[in-house]
Amino acid sequence: MMILEQLRKDNPLIICITNDVVKNFTANGLLALGASPAMATEKLEMDEFLTHAGALLINIGSIEEGDIENMLAAAKYANQHDVPIVLDPVACGASKFRKDFCLKLLETYDITVIRGNASELQALTGEASMKGTDADTSLSTEDVARAAYKKFNCAIVVTGEIDAICVNGKINLIENGTALLTKVTGGGCLLGAVVASFIYNETKPTLESLTEALTTYTVASEFAERASNGTLPGHFAVNLIDQLYLIQESDVAENRLVKEV
């Protein structure tokens, strides 16, 4: 069963605690897709917001010490209201502060999906060094996904040249996408929000629902590259918002490149 059409009908509220660099891009991307974004962060209102939310995104891209209480409170209330949580552990291999926070969050609360690049996920499962948000392209996303699932026992999405999704030990590999997603600030961060949108109200998402989330986004990115001046990063970013608005379930079904392993 495809989710995109139902998502657009339901217009789920997605709470995005995300980094300062990408808030506008993320909100516009979700609006184009058909979700309803709220960039709420204050712990004092989080209980009320999450009463009505379909999903929560926690993205640590510009995390500061003062953000920790807000993020932990959000996770607590999300668990209380059975709201799925997507964690984007941005650059968690670049500093002990980031990694320690992510591990604390994962140990304390039920996280539904962890979405990151291979270096970020490897840092959470063991040792990996990063220069900012850069990913080690020599890593196998499939192997990293398996290791992360084994450690955290939740759905895992690892992005790279080939994306890997692991749910209940089963893996799908996705070969759609474009390198231009790495030339735009927030390409990966918006994907985390898109994943949250596709699993709204589902704390036990299926491999199929996560595969649809990724293929919808990556096929839209391919369409954005082919659109007017799409090989230029600035135009590509605008085109991506447009293509998330235009894309249909049939487009995804006809263009997705998915391999079960």
Side-chain angles (χ1 to χ4, degrees), residues 6-188:
Q6 191 64 47
L7 185 161
R8 287 171 168 163
K9 290 178 180 176
D10 292 347
N11 188 227
L13 176 65
I14 310 299
I15 308 299
C16 300
I17 302 181
T18 191
N19 71 76
D20 295 336
V21 181
V22 304
K23 285 180 179 178
N24 180 271
F25 189 62
T26 299
N28 283 337
L30 291 193
L31 287 170
L33 184 69
S36 177
M39 319 315 266
T41 58
E42 174 53 54
K43 63 182 183 293
L44 296 177
E45 63 180 3
M46 204 54 67
D47 187 16
E48 295 168 277
F49 263 103
L50 284 163
T51 301
H52 306 289
L56 167 69
L57 169 69
I58 298 179
N59 174 306
I60 69 162
S62 56
I63 190 173
E64 299 177 357
E65 186 176 9
D67 299 323
I68 289 177
E69 286 189 12
N70 289 337
M71 291 181 176
L72 292 175
K76 179 184 77 171
Y77 290 123
N79 280 179
Q80 288 179 3
H81 295 297
D82 293 321
V83 174
I85 303 172
V86 175
L87 171 63
D88 194 334
V90 179
C92 64
S95 75
K96 184 176 184 298
F97 170 69
R98 288 171 180 265
K99 181 176 178 178
D100 286 351
F101 170 74
C102 289
L103 292 176
K104 179 179 180 179
L105 189 67
L106 287 159
E107 290 165 3
T108 309
Y109 298 107
D110 292 328
I111 302 302
T112 312
V113 180
I114 308 173
R115 188 231 70 90
N117 65 42
S119 292
E120 290 162 346
L121 268 295
Q122 189 178 61
L124 290 180
T125 57
E127 295 299 325
S129 60
M130 299 180 67
K131 182 189 74 176
T133 60
D134 290 353
D136 183 348
T137 56
S138 69
L139 295 172
S140 163
T141 53
E142 179 183 347
D143 292 345
V144 170
R146 288 189 191 281
Y149 172 77
K150 183 177 180 180
K151 179 168 183 177
F152 298 112
N153 194 32
C154 68
I156 304 295
V157 174
V158 186
T159 51
E161 290 185 14
I162 298 175
D163 301 329
I165 306 168
C166 186
V167 179
N168 297 327
K170 297 181 180 179
I171 288 185
N172 276 354
L173 300 179
I174 297 171
E175 297 184 12
N176 297 100
T178 167
L180 279 166
L181 285 168
T182 66
K183 302 299 182 183
V184 174
T185 298

Side-chain angles (χ1 to χ4, degrees), residues 188-201:
C189 297
L190 174 53
L191 174 57
V194 169
V195 168
S197 299
F198 272 83
I199 65 166
Y200 70 103
N201 298 337

